[in-house]
Amino acid sequence: MALHLLKPFINPTIPFSSPIQGGLKDGMVITVCGRVLPDADRFNVNFEQGSDVILQVNPRYSWLLPIKGYVVHNTRQNGKWGWEESKVDTPFPKGQMFALQILVTHESYKISTNGKLFSEYKHRMPFSSVERICVVGMVDLSLVAVHCIVPHLPPLPGTLMVPYKSIIYGGVQPGRCFVIQGQISLQANRVGFSLRHKTGIAFDYSLNFEDNKVVRNTYEDGKWGEEERSGPMPFEKGQTYLVTICCGPDNYEVLVNGKQAHTYSHRSSNLQEIDVLEVSGDVQLTFVQH
C-alpha cells in the first residue's frame, strides 16, 4: 500500500519549505515536478535539518553550459560544505518540464528524472534526521509530494506498452498522486487516462483530438454519467506531456505540463475500491509513478 506522508502541494510558490514529520525512512519517495525558468542560473532541492543541508540537488547553468547546465550534489554540516559531486549530462534544460524523484534507501539516495535513474548519492548524514524539504531558485513548481511506494514496484522507466494497466495497491485516498509522462502520437485521435475499480470507472479523462476537447466522466452501474466537456485542448499532437492527477477530499485535480487544467468532483464514494490506473489510445508512455 502506498502511504502519503505529506499532503501534496499543487503549484506551490517559490521559495518552498515544508516539514517532514518523523524524518525520512527507507522506501520513501520525494517527487518534485516543475519547469526550469528560461533565464535560470540555478535552483536547489534541499533536505535540511536546522542549518545543515543533508542533501542538495543543485542544477546550475553557466556560460560554458548555458542551456542544459550541470548538476551538483552536496552536503553542508556545521556550516561547512563537503566535496561536490557533479554530473554534466543534466536532465534539467532551461524552459523544460521535469519530474524529479528521490528514492531513500539505506545506502543512498537514488535520484531519477523523467523516469530514468540519473544519479546516486551515498549518505553523509543520517537521512532519518531530515526535518524539512526546501526548493529555492529559478524554477516554477507544479507538485511536491512525499510518499512511500511498494518496495518491489519502483518507478517504471523506458517505453511502456499501451494500453497500459497498473495495480493501485491500497486503493486511492486523498493525497495520492499519479504522475504520467510520454508523448502524444502525431496521428492521435483519442487518448485516455482512467482510474478504475472492479465494476466501473471512477474517473475517465479522455482527449478527443477530433473535437479538440477534453472529456471527463464516470462509468457506474453499467452506464456513463453526464460528460464534462471543455476546450481548448491542453495537449498537442507529437509533443511530450507530463500529466499529474491528484486526489483530494472532494475532487481530482489534473495538471498538464505543470499547469492546472481541470477539476473533477468525486462521483464514486468509495475511493479505496479504485485499484487500476489505465492509459490507452494514440500515445507513447515512458514513465508512471503512483
Side-chain angles (χ1 to χ4, degrees):
M1 176 177 178
L3 174 63
H4 287 256
L5 303 150
L6 178 67
K7 180 181 178 181
F9 292 87
I10 298 175
N11 294 329
T13 57
I14 292 291
F16 170 84
S17 179
S18 176
I20 301 176
Q21 299 296 332
L24 296 178
K25 296 177 174 60
D26 181 42
M28 283 188 183
V29 175
I30 296 83
T31 299
V32 179
C33 297
R35 182 180 71 94
V36 183
L37 296 182
D39 57 346
D41 59 355
R42 66 174 58 199
F43 70 93
N44 304 333
V45 178
N46 291 352
F47 296 166
E48 300 181 355
Q49 178 195 33
S51 61
D52 289 339
V53 179
I54 295 174
L55 169 67
Q56 181 175 89
V57 179
N58 177 210
R60 301 178 183 177
Y61 307 87
S62 67
W63 66 272
L64 288 173
L65 297 164
I67 303 300
K68 297 195 70 174
Y70 60 105
V71 181
V72 171
H73 305 324
N74 209 342
T75 295
R76 185 180 69 198
Q77 187 173 14
N78 299 323
K80 296 182 178 180
W81 287 101
W83 67 94
E84 293 183 347
E85 299 181 21
S86 299
K87 292 202 70 172
V88 173
D89 188 18
T90 174
F92 301 99
K94 289 184 179 182
Q96 298 297 310
M97 300 295 302
F98 66 86
L100 168 67
Q101 293 195 305
I102 304 172
L103 170 64
V104 182
T105 72
H106 280 299
E107 298 78 22
S108 63
Y109 300 104
K110 297 185 184 299
I111 301 167
S112 298
T113 52
N114 306 324
K116 297 180 181 179
L117 183 65
F118 170 65
S119 61
E120 183 175 5
Y121 186 81
K122 295 190 179 299
H123 299 302
R124 302 182 189 178
M125 297 177 65
F127 58 78
S128 59
S129 60
V130 171
E131 296 175 338
R132 63 186 176 273
I133 177 174
C134 301
V135 184
V136 299
M138 302 187 72
V139 64
D140 283 332
L141 293 180
S142 57
L143 173 72
V144 178
V146 179
H147 49 99
C148 286
I149 59 172
V150 179
H152 63 279
L153 289 176
L156 296 170
T159 301
L160 307 173
M161 294 294 294
V162 176
Y164 168 87
K165 291 186 179 181
S166 175
I167 297 174
I168 305 171
Y169 289 92
V172 175
Q173 63 276 342
R176 189 155 198 172
C177 291
F178 303 83
V179 181
I180 307 163
Q181 192 170 39
Q183 184 171 359
I184 306 291
S185 170
L186 282 170
Q187 292 80 34
N189 290 318
R190 182 193 172 278
V191 176
F193 307 94
S194 59
L195 297 173
R196 296 172 170 262
H197 52 82
K198 292 181 180 178
T199 59
I201 304 173
F203 179 38
D204 184 73
Y205 188 80
S206 181
L207 317 181
N208 187 329
F209 285 94
E210 290 184 359
D211 296 338
N212 201 34
K213 303 287 186 182
V214 178
V215 180
R216 288 85 65 199
N217 210 341
T218 296
Y219 184 80
E220 299 278 6
D221 299 324
K223 59 183 179 181
W224 286 100
E226 182 178 353
E227 289 185 348
E228 297 182 16
R229 177 185 292 262
S230 63
M233 174 72 69
F235 300 80
E236 294 184 31
K237 294 183 180 181
Q239 299 298 308
T240 59
Y241 65 86
L242 177 65
V243 174
T244 306
I245 302 173
C246 288
C247 178
D250 304 311
N251 54 41
Y252 297 102
E253 297 278 358
V254 182
L255 291 85
V256 179
N257 296 333
K259 296 180 180 179
Q260 188 165 0
H262 298 99
T263 299
Y264 185 80
S265 297
H266 294 310
R267 300 183 189 176
S268 297
S269 57
N270 196 342
L271 297 177
Q272 290 193 342
E273 291 184 354
I274 301 170
D275 58 1
V276 172
L277 168 68
E278 183 175 69
V279 181
S280 60
D282 306 316
V283 66
Q284 291 182 352
L285 190 61
T286 56
F287 174 62
V288 174
Q289 173 68 66
H290 57 79

